[in-house]
Amino acid sequence: LIILLPFIAIGPRWWLQRARRQRIERIEKQLDGWLLMLANALKATSSVGEAIASTVALVPRPFSEEVDLLVKELRLGTPLDRAIHSLARRINSTLISGALATIVVARQTGGDLPRTLERASAALRESARLEGVLRTKTAEGRGQVLVLASVPFLLCIMIGWLNPSWFDPMLNHQIGRAILGACALAWSVATFWAHQISRADL
């Protein structure tokens, strides 16, 4: 029971954080489709609130649940800008907040909101494509780093298997141990540096 206490204390919080991240990721993937639906709805009605309400039945979950909460706030008398701000704060995603801020700004400045939303949807699709390409390239880079980092150990295993006495000068003499320590330090720095380079973000 004592061993399980840390897992009992940390497990639920970790599971909730993981579930929240997964939900936010699903919502972000549905954002461009919802913006396009909203742009098409605004071509039929001039009311942003009515256009948002018409998308609840069209967009899949979990985005539809968040939009439904926004519509319920509007029906209770909450101003549209405040309801949108509440939606952005509830989801807590930079991508979602930016898209919702675009709606608010375009509405307040009197711009062509449907056209703005169509452009935002296209930009999000292109951003998702570039992010997928970057994710593929960084995954390849991490794989290469792993292979290169394991090469010295594989060579040592092969040499030790062929003739273990070859390592005696390095293990039994002070200069050899110093060289071994310098090599280990160089390997650690190079591996860390390569890992940081492969973590490039869009």
Side-chain angles (χ1 to χ4, degrees):
L1 290 177
I2 295 175
I3 295 174
L4 292 177
L5 281 178
F7 297 97
I8 296 173
I10 301 174
R13 180 179 180 85
W14 174 84
W15 183 84
L16 287 174
Q17 290 177 347
R18 180 174 176 271
R20 177 177 176 80
R21 285 195 302 268
Q22 292 177 347
R23 179 182 175 86
I24 292 174
E25 289 176 359
R26 290 197 300 268
I27 291 176
E28 289 177 346
K29 291 179 181 179
Q30 297 170 348
L31 177 61
D32 62 324
W34 179 73
L35 290 177
L36 193 58
M37 293 177 191
L38 184 58
N40 294 331
L42 286 170
K43 295 177 182 178
T45 178
S46 58
S47 173
V48 179
E50 293 180 1
I52 292 176
S54 66
T55 63
V56 175
L58 302 176
V59 68
R61 297 174 60 186
F63 205 110
S64 60
E65 299 172 346
E66 300 294 340
V67 177
D68 185 51
L69 287 176
L70 186 148
V71 172
K72 290 177 180 178
E73 290 182 1
L74 294 177
R75 290 174 180 171
L76 291 174
T78 305
L80 178 60
D81 293 350
R82 186 183 299 175
I84 292 177
H85 178 69
S86 176
L87 174 62
R89 187 175 64 251
R90 185 167 59 248
I91 298 177
N92 194 21
S93 166
T94 303
L95 186 63
I96 301 295
S97 299
L100 295 177
T102 301
I103 298 175
V104 174
V105 171
R107 175 174 172 271
Q108 292 177 349
T109 56
D112 188 358
L113 186 54
R115 186 176 179 84
T116 301
L117 293 177
E118 289 175 350
R119 290 178 176 176
S121 178
L124 287 172
R125 285 194 297 271
E126 181 65 15
S127 176
R129 186 187 69 82
L130 293 176
E131 187 176 355
V133 173
L134 180 61
R135 189 180 298 110
T136 301
K137 296 299 181 182
T138 53
E140 293 176 357
R142 286 192 293 269
Q144 293 173 358
V145 169
L146 181 61
V147 171
L148 292 175
S150 62
V151 166
F153 298 98
L154 295 177
L155 288 175
C156 290
I157 293 173
M158 291 178 62
I159 293 173
W161 178 70
L162 292 173
N163 190 349
S165 63
W166 287 355
F167 288 107
D168 291 342
M170 184 175 293
L171 298 176
N172 299 327
H173 295 81
Q174 186 174 0
I175 297 177
R177 288 193 291 267
I179 294 174
L180 184 62
C183 292
L185 178 62
W187 177 87
S188 301
V189 172
T191 303
F192 175 77
W193 192 7
H195 178 69
Q196 292 298 114
I197 292 174
S198 66
R199 290 179 59 189
D201 196 5
L202 183 62

